[in-house]
Amino acid sequence: MSIFNLFRKPQTAPMARERLQVLLAHERASQGSDLVAILREEILAVIAKHVQVDADKVRVKVDRDEHVSILEIDVEIPMDAKALAA
Amino acid sequence: MSIFNLFRKPQTAPMARERLQVLLAHERASQGSDLVAILREEILAVIAKHVQVDADKVRVKVDRDEHVSILEIDVEIPMDAKALAA
């Protein structure tokens, strides 16, 4: 399964918006610090610095089990969103 | 398939090191700016700010097709790596 299939939707209609997805997984050996919680806000800030997005178009989900913490960020980018100063 | 399976390895031996993986996908409608190239360095900088890693333990891969750009970052974190000031 190519990794593109993980993110690509079958194209039926012209794309109405672009999409940015982030998956961050921390495979922890011990109960040490959970990087996902630490990195979450800063990664959101890096994205917001470069893409004009509406807060209600940003979906953030955190999953955790004994050894793995996973952060999922899904951002819908309206077609007319200007890329901010790079 | 639970998302954990995507990241979890079958545990045969006690974990020698922790691991941080980032997948960032930008589904582009047009040939507009490629967020993966823009965000790449800043996400690496956010990680390096919080985790003491060796440059040779950081693997970065970028894949691109007509509509989707994907950034993969894979960081091995030695067990004795101190979490830097959060």
Side-chain angles (χ1 to χ4, degrees):
Chain A
M1 179 183 90
S2 134
I3 196 156
F4 285 105
N5 302 348
L6 198 64
F7 295 100
R8 196 190 293 133
K9 299 274 161 311
Q11 220 70 64
T12 47
M15 281 174 77
R17 70 192 79 72
E18 297 196 356
R19 208 159 155 225
L20 185 69
Q21 290 177 282
V22 181
L23 271 174
L24 185 138
H26 178 205
E27 213 177 319
R28 303 186 312 276
S30 60
Q31 285 312 329
S33 62
D34 185 343
L35 283 172
V36 161
I38 295 171
L39 298 175
R40 170 183 158 151
E41 294 312 319
E42 294 197 36
I43 286 182
L44 283 166
V46 163
I47 293 170
K49 198 170 120 188
H50 292 283
V51 184
Q52 203 186 336
V53 288
D54 310 331
D56 60 343
K57 298 282 189 224
V58 180
R59 217 171 37 85
V60 180
K61 194 173 150 216
V62 178
D63 274 311
R64 209 170 263 123
D65 80 359
E66 199 196 337
H67 283 298
V68 181
S69 302
I70 292 179
L71 167 69
E72 287 178 60
I73 301 172
D74 195 318
V75 181
E76 275 181 38
I77 308 167
M79 285 307 290
D80 51 9
K82 291 281 160 299
L84 302 180
Chain B
M1 181 182 88
S2 131
I3 196 158
F4 284 105
N5 301 348
L6 199 63
F7 293 101
R8 194 189 292 131
K9 299 273 159 316
Q11 220 69 67
T12 46
M15 280 173 76
R17 69 192 82 70
E18 297 197 358
R19 211 161 152 223
L20 185 68
Q21 290 176 281
V22 181
L23 273 172
L24 186 139
H26 178 207
E27 216 177 317
R28 305 185 311 279
S30 61
Q31 284 311 327
S33 63
D34 185 342
L35 282 173
V36 161
I38 295 171
L39 297 175
R40 171 183 157 150
E41 293 314 317
E42 294 196 37
I43 287 183
L44 283 167
V46 164
I47 293 170
K49 196 173 123 189
H50 291 283
V51 183
Q52 203 185 334
V53 289
D54 309 333
D56 61 342
K57 296 280 190 237
V58 180
R59 218 171 36 86
V60 179
K61 193 173 148 216
V62 176
D63 274 311
R64 210 171 262 123
D65 79 358
E66 200 196 336
H67 284 299
V68 181
S69 301
I70 292 179
L71 168 70
E72 286 179 62
I73 301 173
D74 194 319
V75 181
E76 274 182 40
I77 308 167
M79 285 307 288
D80 51 11
K82 294 281 162 302
L84 302 180

